[in-house]
Amino acid sequence: MARQYSIIGCGMINPLGIGAPAVSAAVRAGICQYQETDILSKDYQPFKMALVPPECLVALTGAASRGKSCYYQRLIQLASVAIFQIHHQLDNARPLPLMLALPSEHNMAADLDGDALLLDIARECADIIDFGASRCFRLGRAGGIAAFQAGQALIESGASDTVVIGGVDSYLDLMQLSLLDQQQRLLTASGMDGFVPGEGAAFFALNHKQSQKITMGPPGFANEPGHIYSKDICLGDGLSNAIRTALTGIKQPAKTVFSSFNGEHANGKEWGIALSRNSQNIDENFNMVHPADSYGDLGAATVPTLMILAYLGLLRGHYNSPLVIWSASDFAERGAIMMAINDEPPGADCHASSNKTL
């Protein structure tokens, strides 16, 4: 059942900038941060990437700065920048549960201990994150939907009235880039069916007892047997079912679609099937938004980033309501969620909100 939730604080960092307002403005302006790097592909072509400038990251202060890979440390740095933004926006000083989306356990060139990373992020963000009540979701690009479901369930159970939900990811790892290059998945001068690796983190504090301007949910989550690493043919069932669940009971067709499109052709074929099967709940003149064109593929940070940008855009009138967000992981996971502006009484200020940061 859809509930009226509020995002009462948010933090974001990616190649477009630091903070949701800056990233939102850059996306709407069509700014692109793709740049050629000095990292070469197997064909000696420079990779295009979208990266966060080093000066935007803070030095680590805890044990995570010792004996860990540069990739591992970078994930903590990205997450910390975004989480501290939330901390400065909340009145509540007690630590909060964190539902964290992380890269998939599959197709990783190096092992990543998700629980250890979650602990190190909590340590770096001392007094902000309650590690004992937190969980991580190793589901890649659609993991933010699972994280939202878990955060929503925690609020509904009464265990916490506010939960931090988010994700962090980076492709700045030579072994991971080499693996994806061997699989011909990266965009280069000699290979156009690929994506531009990015990096970033996005987190938001979810609460349903404060300003109730936006209806969110229900989230839809389903599996697609025919994903890009499977021998099965993609029939579009996973994404179709996830979107169908997200749009259950919608009062009018969705007018805006936020997607995880990253430039790979397989995404377009799957979306075409899902759109055809859900056409009755999606306006024929819908507006498609796919910000990876600006900041690259954010991996596990995709859904939290899209949710914050969509929420902020709806409140400020940049996008038409209702709005649906969908994301497809490299493997089977597919997720979607609906957002809509609630009906306002005559004379109400549709931009008023207790969330001063938005």
Side-chain angles (χ1 to χ4, degrees), residues 170-350:
S170 174
Y171 288 97
L172 188 55
D173 179 82
L174 293 179
M175 291 192 297
Q176 189 64 32
L177 289 171
S178 177
L179 175 62
L180 293 168
D181 184 28
Q182 291 294 329
Q183 296 168 349
Q184 299 182 321
R185 293 195 55 204
L186 300 181
L187 184 66
T188 64
S190 59
M192 301 307 293
D193 183 10
F195 70 90
V196 172
E199 61 180 355
F203 295 86
F204 58 88
L206 187 72
N207 181 290
H208 74 85
K209 292 184 179 179
Q210 302 210 11
S211 171
Q212 299 178 345
K213 298 295 180 181
I214 302 288
T215 294
M216 299 186 196
F221 199 83
N223 288 325
E224 172 55 60
H227 55 80
I228 61 174
Y229 288 106
S230 170
K231 295 180 180 179
D232 295 336
I233 297 174
C234 178
L235 302 178
D237 294 338
L239 185 58
S240 298
N241 292 336
I243 292 175
R244 182 179 299 111
T245 299
L247 296 179
T248 297
I250 196 171
K251 295 181 180 179
Q252 56 179 312
K255 294 181 172 62
T256 306
V257 177
F258 270 66
S259 80
S260 66
F261 272 139
N262 67 356
E264 292 184 286
H265 295 167
N267 292 161
K269 295 177 182 178
E270 191 172 357
W271 160 245
I273 297 171
L275 174 60
S276 175
R277 294 180 183 174
N278 290 280
S279 59
Q280 71 280 8
N281 284 327
I282 300 177
D283 192 284
E284 62 180 9
N285 296 314
F286 70 91
N287 176 37
M288 172 67 84
V289 183
H290 37 88
D293 286 355
S294 295
Y295 49 52
D297 191 325
L298 299 185
T302 294
V303 167
T305 300
L306 294 179
M307 289 187 68
I308 294 171
L309 294 179
Y311 189 94
L312 183 63
L314 285 176
L315 284 180
R316 294 187 172 180
H318 298 317
Y319 305 112
N320 291 326
S321 173
L323 178 153
V324 64
I325 299 163
W326 67 260
S327 187
S329 293
D330 286 346
F331 289 85
E333 301 83 11
R334 304 291 183 265
I337 189 168
M338 181 273 296
M339 290 187 184
I341 292 285
N342 294 327
D343 294 332
E344 294 286 344
D349 179 4
C350 66

Side-chain angles (χ1 to χ4, degrees), residues 1 3 5 97 99 133 135 137 145-163 165 206 208 219:
M1 181 179 180
R3 290 291 304 268
Y5 288 93
M99 302 295 118
R135 293 173 57 193
F137 301 84
I145 296 295
F148 180 88
Q149 285 181 317
Q152 185 183 43
L154 200 62
I155 291 174
E156 296 297 331
S157 72
S160 178
D161 59 2
T162 303
V163 177
I165 297 168
L206 187 72
H208 74 85

Side-chain angles (χ1 to χ4, degrees), residues 36 60 192:
E36 286 191 349
L60 299 179
M192 301 307 293

